[in-house]
Amino acid sequence: MGAQAKVYKRRIKSVSATKKITKAMEMIAASRVVKAQRRVAASTPYATELTRAVGAVAKGSTTQHALTTESENPTRAAVLLITSDRGLAGGYSSNVIKAAEELTERLTREGKEVDAYIVGRKGVAYYSFRERKVTESWGGFTDSPTYADAKKIAGPLIEAVLKATAEGGVDELHIVFTEFVSMLTQTPVQDRLLPLSLQETAEEQEKKGEILPLFDFEPSAEDVLDALLPRYVEARIYNALLQAAASKHAATRRAMKSATDNADELIKSLTRLANAARQADITQEISEIVGGASALADASAGSD
């Protein structure tokens, strides 16, 4: 076998080994995204109904609660960015980071100082590379988050909102994550969690034809809100983590399928080149044999 054909054979072997890896990763991501979809479907109704309930309770009372009261002059906002711990997911992390950058720029133009809270090593690496301050970060669980993870994240965020104008306090809480729409579509979302917009909640209920109930609070409206609002933040963050995890697995599956398909095409191309090189070697060997035989025949004829 000629030198060029050997090079093609080595490359085919290398690409085939890579193809096995990407195919395995595609199958793993496909199995994980199905489980993640189920968890999203299970958590979304709870988060939606809890948001509706908190909005109804807040609107049905006259209590001025820190987590529902708009600041007259907001100067500081917290942005929770949810990215991935790992790569090999196409533009998943870069797209949600871009959405967070757009939100940060908008808040800055409004005269608000932004505190960054980041979930996922990809987001932390992005900010670290640009030497930008991160107030707090979490990682190591983005592929399969639990409610305990959401509770751990929600704690310092709620504390920052409760501090309000005090040192380290914020007036608003925003979250940026990737919403799972389908296996083919995952959309970066910017959402404000706090203060809870009571007007938007009421408008949504009116559109659905729901009648706003009247409430009696025991022991008091403030105590009810104190109990409900942390659960609201935890549930919304948990649902966002699950949405992000499902989106990441879908993006990984799509990226690995593309890599596997590209490997197939490259193997076909290299196989054609290897065959052409082998045929050229065979043709050259035949030519050399025929030339040698002809030379021997001519030498024999001359000696006669």
Side-chain angles (χ1 to χ4, degrees):
M1 185 183 293
Q4 191 63 37
K6 288 182 179 178
V7 170
Y8 290 133
K9 289 293 183 182
R10 283 197 298 269
R11 290 192 62 191
I12 290 172
K13 186 177 180 180
S14 175
V15 174
S16 297
T18 302
K19 176 189 169 183
K20 290 180 181 178
I21 296 172
T22 57
K23 184 64 177 178
M25 294 181 68
E26 177 190 346
M27 295 175 67
I28 292 171
S31 65
R32 287 179 175 175
V33 74
V34 172
K35 295 178 183 178
Q37 277 182 280
R38 292 172 183 165
R39 296 181 72 189
V40 169
S43 71
T44 298
Y46 175 75
T48 302
E49 286 304 311
L50 187 56
T51 301
R52 185 189 68 82
V54 171
V57 172
K59 193 170 181 63
S61 71
T62 57
T63 302
Q64 296 296 310
H65 197 278
L67 301 184
T68 58
T69 304
E70 295 275 357
S71 175
E72 294 182 1
N73 184 28
T75 58
R76 199 177 191 91
V79 174
L80 174 63
L81 168 61
I82 300 178
T83 63
S84 174
D85 287 321
R86 303 177 183 179
L88 301 177
Y92 166 76
S93 289
S94 60
N95 289 338
V96 73
I97 288 173
K98 181 179 178 182
E101 292 287 79
E102 292 173 354
L103 174 61
T104 300
E105 291 177 5
R106 177 171 64 81
L107 293 173
T108 302
R109 287 196 300 269
E110 293 174 359
K112 301 169 186 174
E113 188 176 349
V114 177
D115 290 347
Y117 294 79
I118 301 178
V119 176
R121 297 189 184 104
K122 286 295 180 181
V124 174
Y126 177 88
Y127 275 68
S128 298
F129 181 76
R130 288 157 181 78
E131 298 182 348
R132 294 167 59 179
K133 181 182 176 183
V134 176
T135 304
E136 196 159 349
S137 63
W138 303 267
F141 54 80
T142 58
D143 282 355
S144 184
T146 64
Y147 193 85
D149 297 321
K151 193 170 183 178
K152 179 170 61 177
I153 296 168
L157 292 170
I158 294 173
E159 184 180 351
V161 174
L162 289 174
K163 287 181 180 178
T165 57
E167 184 178 355
V170 297
D171 301 300
E172 297 176 358
L173 170 58
H174 299 259
I175 185 171
V176 184
F177 65 99
T178 306
E179 181 183 18
F180 182 86
V181 180
S182 68
M183 289 293 291
L184 298 177
T185 306
Q186 299 86 44
T187 308
V189 173
Q190 305 169 357
D191 195 10
R192 193 183 82 168
L193 295 187
L194 297 174
L196 184 64
S197 178
L198 302 182
Q199 182 177 355
E200 291 180 5
T201 303
E203 289 176 353
E204 290 176 1
Q205 290 176 321
E206 289 175 3
K207 287 179 182 178
K208 295 178 181 179
E210 297 179 358
I211 299 175
L212 295 178
L214 298 176
F215 290 94
D216 288 327
F217 301 103
E218 181 66 33
S220 68
E222 185 174 1
D223 289 334
V224 172
L225 288 174
D226 283 339
L228 278 181
L229 283 166
R231 303 291 84 77
Y232 154 76
V233 175
E234 292 167 5
R236 291 292 297 272
I237 291 177
Y238 180 52
N239 182 254
L241 289 172
L242 294 178
Q243 296 266 6
S247 298
K248 189 269 179 183
H249 294 316
T252 298
R253 177 184 176 277
R254 191 166 58 250
M256 291 301 99
K257 185 180 186 307
S258 178
T260 302
D261 292 343
N262 290 339
D264 277 330
E265 292 299 320
L266 185 55
I267 289 171
K268 290 178 183 177
S269 177
L270 291 172
T271 300
R272 286 194 294 267
L273 293 173
N275 290 338
R278 185 178 62 184
Q279 290 170 0
D281 290 339
I282 293 171
T283 302
Q284 183 178 355
E285 290 174 1
I286 293 173
S287 297
E288 291 174 354
I289 292 171
V290 171
S294 178
L296 288 174
D298 292 342
S300 298
S303 62
D304 292 341

